[in-house]
């Protein structure tokens, strides 16, 4: 039998891993620079956590979760996103007693049972962050600026920022009635999910992916026109902050986000490039979530960026992540005695943080040189009996073909000085 990776999962091979490593490092560096610390949360949680946290009227919970019973009879779900787990950890570990804001970032795998397409997988990765304890809107703008800084450092251009406000329970109460009045005459011709959402969570109907519902959803009244005074002030504050930083944005009153926990600020960064999956990331404020999960009422805000979509976009824009060359020197041997000497040399160099390689295949000299060339190893040292007796070797620089005589006893110092 031939095994294959499961539908919607992918291997990240050595030929592309350097892009991931670089992106992960750059994201972590920017987060650290803003005072965020990394958190690592478990891959699976009890199913209720997501039902309550993400919301049981969402597509994610209703259609996309990987849920199963473990051998102990517990209902377990592979995390479809990071926020619910981070909020659980925040509450469970008493992080509310830490100085505010509590700021955490993460790099996780997430799992959703989806229709697989370019930029849409069943196992995917998210770079994300969450900040607790600050009501903003200063922090809302600061979080958006983390992304603009990150994109700038990577060299990504033309990523459009779209913002919206979806208010608080107060404005939503009034708005829900307006929305229900709007949808009521057509409810019979909408999908079953929307019929159920009509009473439970009409805002979700705006986000429905079913063609029968989309045409009604498009003309629906928008929450942003029904904001209460506090929410309106908050949104104005966000816009003012962004204007101060010179961050351009578009107000898209159609953004409601696919997860139930959002309040007030919601935002997305969108590109034209990533096929039909143009949304590189989404985020927003969730002031009610910590309390919903039985923590003390605490405002929160965060985002999650799809790492695959980010890298697809980076590739489309021709971003060079510069594949590193960890191995700097190849030692080719011309005799068994030389090979013994080389074993000691490479060990010493490695102890001194200089990457090097020697033959492990019993190859002839010419084949060793060919191997070094194939791997683009920048320096070459050939050692035979002559070099052993003279105690001097030639170091060849492959970039310009130049050769330098170096005493064997000083080889570590030599490479330290030229590779520094
Ligand atoms: P979409 O509308 O594309 O389904 P979403 O609203 O479900 O996205 P979020 O839950 O907000 O997505 O997740 C944040 C980000 O994670 C998305 O903007 C996207 O970049 C990425 N993402 C979500 N689902 C997938 C997936 N199945 N495969 C790859 N990336 C994904
Ligand atoms: Mg989705």
């Amino acid at each position: 039998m031939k095994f294959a990776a499961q539908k919607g999962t992918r291997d990240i091979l050595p030929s592309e891993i350097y892009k991931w490593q670089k992106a992960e490092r750059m994201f972590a560096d920017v987060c650290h620079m803003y005072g965020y610390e990394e958190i690592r949360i478990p891959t699976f949680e009890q199913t209720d956590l997501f039902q309550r946290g993400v919301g049981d009227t969402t597509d994610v919970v209703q259609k996309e979760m990987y849920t199963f019973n473990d051998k102990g009879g517990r209902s377990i779900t592979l995390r479809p996103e990071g926020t619910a787990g981070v909020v659980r950890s925040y509450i469970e570990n008493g992080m509310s007693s830490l100085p505010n804001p509590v700021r955490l970032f993460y790099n996780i795998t997430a799992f959703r049972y989806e229709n697989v397409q370019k930029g849409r997988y069943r196992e995917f990765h998210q770079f994300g962050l969450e900040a607790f304890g600050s009501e903003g809107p200063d922090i809302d703008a600061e979080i958006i600026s983390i992304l603009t800084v990150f994109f700038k450092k990577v060299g990504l251009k033309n990523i459009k920022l779209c913002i919206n406000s979806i208010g608080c329970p107060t404005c939503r109460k009034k708005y829900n009635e307006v929305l229900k009045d709007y949808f009521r005459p057509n409810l019979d011709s909408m999908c079953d999910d929307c019929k159920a959402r009509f009473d439970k969570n009409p805002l979700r109907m705006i986000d429905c992916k079913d063609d029968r519902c989309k045409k009604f959803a498009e003309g629906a009244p928008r929450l942003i026109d029904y904001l209460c005074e506090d929410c309106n002030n908050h949104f104005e504050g966000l816009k003012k902050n962004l204007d101060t930083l010179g961050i351009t944005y578009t107000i898209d009153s159609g953004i409601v986000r696919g997860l139930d926990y959002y309040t007030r600020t919601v935002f997305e960064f969108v590109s034209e490039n990533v096929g039909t999956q143009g949304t590189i990331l989404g985020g927003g404020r969730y002031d009610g979530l910590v309390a919903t999960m039985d923590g003390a009422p605490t405002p929160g805000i965060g985002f999650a960026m799809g790492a695959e979509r980010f890298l697809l976009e980076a590739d489309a824009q021709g971003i060079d992540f510069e594949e590193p060359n960890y191995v700097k020197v190849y030692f080719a041997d011309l005799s068994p005695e030389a090979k013994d000497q080389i074993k000691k040399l490479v060990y010493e160099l490695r102890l001194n943080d200089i990457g090097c390689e020697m033959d492990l295949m019993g190859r002839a000299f010419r084949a060793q040189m060919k191997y070094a060339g194939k791997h683009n190893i920048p320096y070459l040292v050939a050692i035979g009996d002559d070099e052993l007796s003279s105690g001097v070797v030639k170091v060849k620089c492959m970039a310009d073909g130049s050769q330098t005589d170096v005493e064997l006893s000083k080889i570590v110092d030599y490479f330290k000085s030229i590779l520094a």
Side-chain angles (χ1 to χ4, degrees):
M1 179 160 79
K2 242 190 190 165
F3 292 109
Q6 287 298 295
K7 186 171 177 190
T9 70
R10 318 161 55 232
D11 300 306
I12 303 171
L13 298 174
S15 56
E16 54 172 344
I17 196 71
Y18 67 94
K19 299 179 186 176
W20 286 80
Q21 291 169 335
K22 180 100 181 260
E24 287 162 5
R25 241 183 350 255
M26 289 175 93
F27 181 69
D29 285 349
V30 174
C31 289
H32 282 141
M33 195 166 75
Y34 273 80
Y36 284 70
E37 291 177 294
E38 184 174 357
I39 184 168
R40 299 192 183 183
I41 50 168
T43 307
F44 58 85
E45 305 267 2
Q46 67 188 76
T47 301
D48 316 354
L49 179 83
F50 302 111
Q51 284 170 339
R52 178 113 62 97
V54 176
D56 51 16
T57 56
T58 60
D59 275 355
V60 171
V61 169
Q62 287 185 336
K63 301 173 188 164
E64 298 171 0
M65 292 207 305
Y66 278 91
T67 298
F68 58 95
N69 286 331
D70 74 3
K71 292 192 199 307
R74 302 170 193 87
S75 181
I76 297 290
T77 294
L78 303 184
R79 61 183 172 214
E81 53 97 63
T83 305
V86 173
V87 169
R88 193 240 343 113
S89 177
Y90 172 86
I91 298 167
E92 186 177 350
N93 293 294
M95 288 190 232
S96 60
S97 63
L98 298 172
N100 279 329
V102 175
R103 289 163 294 181
L104 305 164
F105 76 91
Y106 54 81
N107 170 9
I108 59 168
T109 48
F111 306 85
R112 296 184 192 178
Y113 194 78
E114 297 223 51
N115 286 326
V116 177
Q117 309 160 48
K118 189 177 178 193
R120 187 175 295 284
Y121 310 100
R122 291 183 176 173
E123 181 184 27
F124 59 101
H125 297 75
Q126 290 185 331
F127 301 159
L129 59 77
E130 317 293 345
F132 299 95
S134 174
E135 251 178 311
D138 293 359
I139 198 165
D140 302 38
E142 190 181 90
I143 279 177
I144 287 171
S145 85
I146 291 179
L147 289 157
T148 57
V149 167
F150 175 69
F151 289 145
K152 212 169 205 143
K153 284 194 185 297
V154 171
L156 270 193
K157 297 197 177 78
N158 304 325
I159 311 287
K160 200 166 119 184
L161 165 63
C162 301
I163 61 170
N164 188 26
S165 175
I166 55 170
C168 65
T170 310
C171 12
R172 223 173 276 178
K173 218 172 174 174
K174 189 171 70 183
Y175 170 73
N176 279 349
E177 290 315 311
V178 176
L179 203 55
K180 284 164 84 170
D181 289 345
Y182 170 82
F183 280 123
R184 193 171 286 114
N186 299 308
L187 194 58
D188 283 346
S189 47
M190 297 181 77
C191 76
D192 288 344
D193 286 337
C194 280
K195 283 178 189 143
R197 287 163 177 155
F198 183 80
D199 283 317
K200 279 180 96 175
N201 190 357
L203 185 61
R204 275 275 73 80
M205 297 168 77
I206 291 197
D207 200 28
C208 187
K209 306 283 189 290
D210 194 303
D211 286 332
R212 283 171 291 175
C213 312
K214 268 185 183 166
K215 58 177 185 285
F216 300 122
E218 270 163 21
R222 298 302 162 100
L223 218 164
I224 198 159
D225 299 319
Y226 296 86
L227 293 180
C228 69
E229 197 182 342
D230 285 348
C231 287
N232 195 49
N233 289 341
H234 189 277
F235 194 54
E236 290 304 315
L238 169 64
K239 290 191 281 182
K240 196 164 161 235
N241 266 289
L242 293 174
D243 290 338
T244 304
L245 300 178
I247 294 174
T248 49
Y249 55 85
T250 307
I251 297 169
D252 180 347
S253 61
I255 300 178
V256 294
R257 311 284 310 116
L259 315 173
D260 270 353
Y261 46 63
Y262 288 108
T263 51
R264 293 190 169 171
T265 306
V266 286
F267 60 91
E268 292 181 349
F269 278 83
V270 187
S271 129
E272 299 294 310
N273 287 326
V274 188
T276 47
Q277 323 305 327
T279 310
I280 294 178
L281 69 93
R285 180 164 276 285
Y286 46 81
D287 291 341
L289 182 59
V290 178
T292 300
M293 313 259 275
D294 297 334
T298 310
I301 178 166
F303 67 73
M305 169 161 52
E308 284 82 0
R309 291 196 197 165
F310 163 75
L311 286 169
L312 279 169
E313 176 67 20
D315 270 345
Q317 293 199 20
I319 303 293
D320 181 5
F321 286 94
E322 289 163 20
E323 189 166 9
N325 212 339
Y326 295 110
V327 175
K328 305 292 185 194
V329 195
Y330 189 85
F331 286 89
D333 64 82
L334 286 149
S335 72
E337 292 74 24
K339 192 158 195 160
D340 281 343
Q341 180 67 26
I342 287 172
K343 285 177 191 162
K344 282 194 274 185
L345 269 175
V346 292
Y347 186 54
E348 203 185 337
L349 284 165
R350 289 162 176 166
L351 285 170
N352 283 278
D353 299 320
I354 294 164
C356 49
E357 277 196 64
M358 62 177 288
D359 173 56
L360 297 170
M361 299 301 296
R363 290 191 174 104
F365 180 71
R366 280 178 69 92
Q368 292 181 40
M369 305 289 272
K370 214 166 143 187
Y371 172 92
K374 255 195 191 144
H375 287 84
N376 291 318
I377 301 177
Y379 293 94
L380 204 78
V381 181
I383 303 184
D385 293 339
D386 289 353
E387 285 77 12
L388 288 187
S389 59
S390 70
V392 176
V393 294
K394 285 199 189 318
V395 175
K396 184 169 182 187
C397 168
M398 302 311 283
D400 58 12
S402 65
Q403 302 212 36
T404 311
D405 285 342
V406 179
E407 277 178 52
L408 260 179
S409 60
K410 302 216 171 106
I411 199 106
V412 171
D413 288 341
Y414 175 74
F415 279 115
K416 271 189 164 171
S417 70
I418 63 164
L419 295 172

